[in-house]
Structure formats: structure tokens, C-alpha cells
Amino acid sequence: MRSSGPSRLLPLLLAVVLGAAPALVPSPTQAAVRPTVTIRVSDDRVTEGARLIFSGKVTRKSVGGRVLLQAHTSGGWSKVARSRVTTSKTYRLATTAETQRTVYRAVFRGTRTVAKQRSAPVLVAVEAAPSTDPPVEPPTDPPTDPPTEPPTDPPTDPVMTVSEAQALILQDTNDFRVANGKPPLLLMPELTAIAQGWSEHMAETDTYEHNPGYFVDYPPGWTQGAENIAAFHKPQDVVQVWIDSGLHRDNLLGDYTHIGIGYGYDTTSTWTRYYTQNFARYEHP
């Protein structure tokens, strides 16, 4: 989530940063050049068992160096995934959310010319998955054996058009605002063009991050602005995902008058669906 005003821009991280971490001490064979290691998480509020994607950058001559993803538990820090720095000095790591692992950090293992370094930790709120325990009373009839052959028609996931998804997200957003005593937002074509362009950009480039200059193309006259993004979730579920996330919920209920909505879809990308909401307040009707 990101919010700003025209006179002061305050970028917000996707996950809660617990604080800066001290640098690891390099070995005598390493140069004293220290990189900067950044980290962000695909979603900072998930259900146990959900897939988490961590990504970031490592500065200096870090290409090819190994990056470890570590999680903190009662027993201390432990490795849960590893990757290497790409030619663009970025990395991507994946793991499965667990309730006992909620604090993560990335550790760059160093190269011949770049010292070891680690990122600041990030916090992920992990909710317990719904219970799948069987009922206390046994069923009256014994269960039947499963079929030996898989179904010929697997479940389908119908794809909404952009306009259908935008209309649904607008309706769900305004229903939530009205239920909380806020006036509905007006869909503004200029803001929607910004949001749609960014959603398509994330889908086409297989990236998940805020638009760093979303407010640059806002029509003149705005006094407040904010942005929500999300990925993976179905259009009928995404507003509830934002509602369940404190900072995104604040944007949904913010003192805004207009909104733009974007929906990008690409089955070859990591998250398939990408969403953007751009909020703005205009004093004129």
C-alpha cells in the first residue's frame, strides 16, 4: 500500500519492517565493500499454508551471489529457501507460510569482492488455517472408495473481462464504504487509466510492486492520493483481502472522492491476476 499528498510523499513498504539489521562480519578474504540488501514480501497477511514470495535487490557487484531466506522461530534463525542474484541484481525466494514462522530476512552470502550482508527483517501475519478435522461423531454410512480415474473435466476458473472485474471491485469497495458511513467513490477514467496501465505492467513483466510515480499523471486539483495493489486472488475476493489488511483497509475508508481500478491477467506470470486501486480527493464536485 502507498499513500501520499502533493507536498510530501511517504512511501510505505508492503511488509512491516522491524528495524535495521547489523551487518555480518566479513571474513579476512573478503573485501570491505558492503552491499545493501532489500526485501519485500508478496503479502504481509496470509493464511497458514499460503505461498509467500520474497524479492529484493542486492547492490554492488553481487550478480551470481547466493541469497538465503531465513525465518526466525523459538530456536533462532533457520534457512528456508535459497536463490542467486540475477544479472539485474535482484532475487526471488518462495516458501510456505507457517504460524510459527512470522519473521523473515534475506542474507546475501557474499562474493570474492562483496562482503556478506543481511536485510532488515520483515513481519508476516500468519493466521491459522480453518480446521479440517473430521466430525466427532462417525458418519452413519462408511465412506466410499475414491474413483480410480481422475475426473475428465478439471475445475475451471472463468476469467472476467477487465470491465467486469473493475465494476465488481468498484461495487465491493463502495458497499464497504457505505456500510462504514463513508460516501461511495466515483470511478474516474484518468485514474483508471493509471491503475490499468500498472496492473498490465505487473502482469507483463511478472513483477509485484507499487507504482513509484502513480500520482504524477493524476489530473490537477487533487489534495490526497493513495494506492492499493494485490495479486493472485480472484476479483470477487480481492476487496475482502484488502479489508483484512489494516493499511489497505485505511485506504478503502480514506477521505477520498474518486478511484481508478486496474485488472491485469496473464497465465504465464507468477501470480496470474494483478490489481491496482488509485485513490484521490478532489475538492470540486
Side-chain angles (χ1 to χ4, degrees):
M1 185 217 75
R2 186 187 293 268
S3 60
S4 68
S7 60
R8 186 178 182 185
L9 308 179
L10 302 175
L12 298 177
L13 297 178
L14 294 180
V16 178
V17 177
L18 300 182
L24 297 177
V25 177
S27 66
T29 59
Q30 292 176 316
V33 177
R34 294 198 178 279
T36 298
V37 182
T38 64
I39 186 172
R40 58 174 175 259
V41 63
S42 55
D43 197 343
D44 60 5
R45 184 178 295 273
V46 297
T47 302
E48 184 179 14
R51 189 181 186 213
L52 290 172
I53 299 293
F54 294 84
S55 59
K57 287 190 174 184
V58 183
T59 61
R60 306 289 186 177
K61 296 181 179 180
S62 59
V63 175
R66 181 172 295 177
V67 180
L68 305 180
L69 178 65
Q70 294 182 338
H72 192 273
T73 64
S74 58
W77 291 98
S78 60
K79 181 183 73 175
V80 294
R82 67 181 180 180
S83 181
R84 290 191 179 275
V85 181
T86 67
T87 54
S88 59
K89 298 184 180 180
T90 61
Y91 67 87
R92 181 182 292 260
L93 297 153
T95 189
T96 301
E98 298 181 11
T99 53
Q100 67 267 35
R101 297 190 329 208
T102 59
V103 181
Y104 296 84
R105 70 184 181 188
V107 179
F108 177 67
R109 298 295 294 168
T111 65
R112 292 182 178 180
T113 58
V114 183
K116 297 178 181 179
Q117 184 61 292
R118 62 190 178 218
S119 71
V122 294
L123 174 67
V124 179
V126 182
E127 300 177 354
S131 174
T132 57
D133 294 337
V136 176
E137 295 297 328
T140 304
D141 299 320
T144 57
D145 293 332
T148 56
E149 295 294 330
T152 56
D153 296 322
T156 58
D157 179 14
V159 178
M160 288 189 181
T161 65
V162 170
S163 59
E164 289 172 338
Q166 290 171 334
L168 177 59
I169 293 170
L170 177 65
Q171 184 65 53
D172 288 348
T173 297
N174 281 336
D175 285 350
F176 178 63
R177 286 178 61 87
V178 171
N180 285 270
K182 298 289 185 178
L185 299 173
L186 298 176
L187 190 67
M188 178 181 282
E190 295 88 345
L191 296 182
T192 292
I194 297 169
Q196 183 62 31
W198 189 250
S199 288
E200 292 177 356
H201 166 80
M202 290 191 290
E204 292 169 359
T205 61
D206 198 12
T207 56
Y208 179 62
E209 59 188 359
H210 277 289
N211 181 351
Y214 68 90
F215 47 84
V216 173
D217 294 323
Y218 271 29
W222 63 283
T223 58
Q224 297 181 49
E227 178 182 83
N228 280 347
I229 63 171
F232 174 71
H233 306 282
K234 294 180 180 180
Q236 58 266 38
D237 299 328
V238 67
V239 172
Q240 186 61 51
V241 173
W242 282 323
I243 290 172
D244 293 338
S245 176
L247 296 176
H248 300 89
R249 178 190 177 96
D250 291 345
N251 277 350
L252 292 172
L253 296 177
D255 191 20
Y256 304 113
T257 56
H258 294 76
I259 189 173
I261 299 171
Y263 173 54
Y265 186 91
D266 188 338
T267 57
T268 65
S269 63
T270 301
W271 297 105
T272 305
R273 308 175 191 85
Y274 299 82
Y275 305 90
T276 307
Q277 285 183 312
N278 286 117
F279 302 88
R281 176 173 180 81
Y282 288 88
E283 301 301 333
H284 58 78

